[in-house]
Amino acid sequence: MDFIRAKKIVQSVNAGQSWFGCSYNMNIYRGCNQGCIYCDSRSSCYQIQNFDKIRAKENADIMVDHELSKKRKKGIIGLGGMSDPYNNHELELEYTRNSLKSMAKYGFGAFIITKNTNVLRDIDIFKEINRNNVINIGITITTADDKLQSCIETNSTSSTMRFKAIKNLSDEGIYCGILMMPILPFINDTEENIKGIVEKAAKAGAKYISPSFGVTLRDNQRKYFFEKIGPELTEKYVKKYEEAYSCASPNHDYLRNYFETLCRKYGILYKMSDIINESVKHIKREQLTLF
């Protein structure tokens, strides 16, 4: 494990209530070794060299505690936007766990994006956070088919194991759902895949599914993606999208309508405003007993 220095860990964001209600964002690790062929974080604008190697920000948990202790505005902090906070190095370092303890101590909420079942380790801390603020675990699942998943997310936990993690979190009373993104044109943008994800989400107790029926492609990311999907699929992408950054599925409208119909059938949220509002309702504030 290599360590890098950082001047600041917790960053304010401008998105406000538009992205799961986050007011802050932080990434304790840099780079990722999960091997997802579509990852936007490979793009050159992020200036991450040797992206497949994970590096930790030196003394990140101590820095987080110090930064949160000085913040007057309590809000929800997003983790995992650039690098999974539950990579295997985290089991030893516990930077994510210690940072979550600081969030609980100072009354901050957390929205966590992960593909890793290591997230289950911190259920006790999630419950502590949830006494005063939002805890929301978003597990990325792009396909219900483990075989396809292993091709497009080569080093990641299987979709089956992720659904089981959602079930465990839900059974413990933790507000959680699925980030169904990206849905890749010509690869997993099928009615069968959407149905499989929604039905398994319902069985697992997921409260929501946030979708994206397409993929973004630019510079380094595009090059890496095309190398992984091969010449035949690359030709389809180039013919359909040329150099476009946003590549929506050709079945975008139909799949979205089909997806929303299934979500309504199973009582699963999919609108961002509803997801945010419901997460706030799940705050388990301690009841005061009057004598």
Side-chain angles (χ1 to χ4, degrees):
M1 166 59 71
D2 291 338
F3 293 88
I4 56 176
R5 291 186 177 182
K7 294 181 179 179
K8 190 176 182 180
I9 305 291
V10 183
Q11 308 284 345
S12 297
V13 296
N14 297 322
Q17 295 296 310
S18 63
W19 180 249
F20 292 94
C22 293
S23 301
Y24 302 98
N25 184 61
M26 73 178 193
N27 286 284
I28 293 169
Y29 297 96
R30 192 169 177 85
C32 186
N33 63 1
Q34 297 197 82
C36 303
I37 67 173
Y38 50 73
C39 185
D40 179 69
S41 296
R42 293 182 183 278
S43 302
S44 60
C45 61
Y46 300 117
Q47 300 179 342
I48 302 177
Q49 302 299 320
N50 192 13
F51 179 78
D52 295 291
K53 182 176 181 179
I54 299 172
R55 284 145 288 186
K57 295 180 180 178
E58 192 173 25
N59 297 320
D61 52 349
I62 297 174
M63 292 179 65
V64 168
D65 188 86
H66 177 69
E67 291 176 32
L68 294 186
S69 70
K70 293 187 173 183
K71 291 190 180 296
R72 293 183 179 180
K73 179 185 175 182
K74 309 301 180 185
I76 300 170
I77 303 174
L79 293 81
M82 294 284 293
S83 179
D84 197 311
Y86 285 100
N87 61 71
N88 289 335
H89 296 291
E90 166 60 22
L91 296 179
E92 177 183 356
L93 291 175
E94 294 194 347
Y95 276 5
T96 296
R97 181 172 175 83
N98 290 336
S99 296
L100 289 168
K101 287 181 180 179
S102 295
M103 293 180 207
K105 179 169 66 174
Y106 297 115
F108 287 82
F111 167 59
I112 300 171
I113 303 172
T114 184
K115 292 187 178 80
N116 204 313
T117 57
N118 291 340
V119 69
L120 298 175
R121 178 199 64 183
D122 291 338
I123 286 176
D124 60 329
I125 309 299
F126 299 156
K127 291 180 178 180
E128 287 291 321
I129 291 173
N130 207 201
R131 290 180 180 177
N132 296 298
N133 212 319
V134 168
I135 185 70
N136 182 355
I137 312 300
I139 295 185
T140 301
I141 299 179
T142 58
T143 174
D145 183 344
D146 283 349
K147 185 176 181 180
L148 176 58
Q149 175 273 320
S150 67
C151 293
I152 62 178
E153 300 160 351
T154 55
N155 299 322
S156 299
T157 309
S158 70
S159 293
T160 295
M161 293 303 295
R162 292 181 221 174
F163 281 116
K164 288 181 179 179
I166 292 170
K167 182 67 166 63
N168 288 340
L169 290 166
S170 181
D171 287 349
E172 290 287 342
I174 305 299
Y175 186 73
C176 60
I178 292 171
L179 276 67
M180 194 179 74
M181 55 181 74
I183 295 298
L184 304 169
F186 314 119
I187 296 176
N188 62 344
D189 59 338
T190 65
E191 184 177 311
E192 178 184 11
N193 185 44
I194 303 304
K195 182 179 181 181
I197 292 174
V198 175
E199 289 184 343
K200 290 185 178 182
K203 290 180 180 178
K207 299 298 186 293
Y208 65 85
I209 302 176
S210 182
S212 177
F213 295 95
V215 65
T216 58
L217 294 175
R218 54 184 165 188
D219 50 64
N220 295 354
Q221 175 202 11
R222 178 187 298 271
K223 180 180 178 182
Y224 186 86
F225 181 69
F226 285 170
E227 286 175 355
K228 295 300 180 181
I229 65 175
E232 186 175 338
L233 276 174
T234 295
E235 185 178 351
K236 285 187 176 182
Y237 271 80
V238 173
K239 183 178 179 180
K240 174 68 177 176
Y241 305 108
E242 297 181 346
E243 295 294 320
Y245 168 66
S246 182
C247 306
S249 167
N251 301 321
H252 176 275
D253 291 337
Y254 172 78
L255 289 177
R256 176 171 286 280
N257 289 334
Y258 180 66
F259 163 76
E260 292 180 359
T261 299
L262 286 174
C263 285
R264 288 192 294 269
K265 175 182 177 181
Y266 290 105
I268 296 175
L269 303 176
Y270 57 88
K271 293 180 180 179
M272 184 58 65
S273 58
D274 292 339
I275 295 170
I276 293 170
N277 291 337
E278 191 64 24
S279 70
V280 174
K281 292 179 183 178
H282 272 71
I283 298 175
K284 296 176 173 60
R285 293 186 173 91
E286 292 181 329
Q287 300 295 317
L288 297 178
T289 303
L290 298 179
F291 293 94

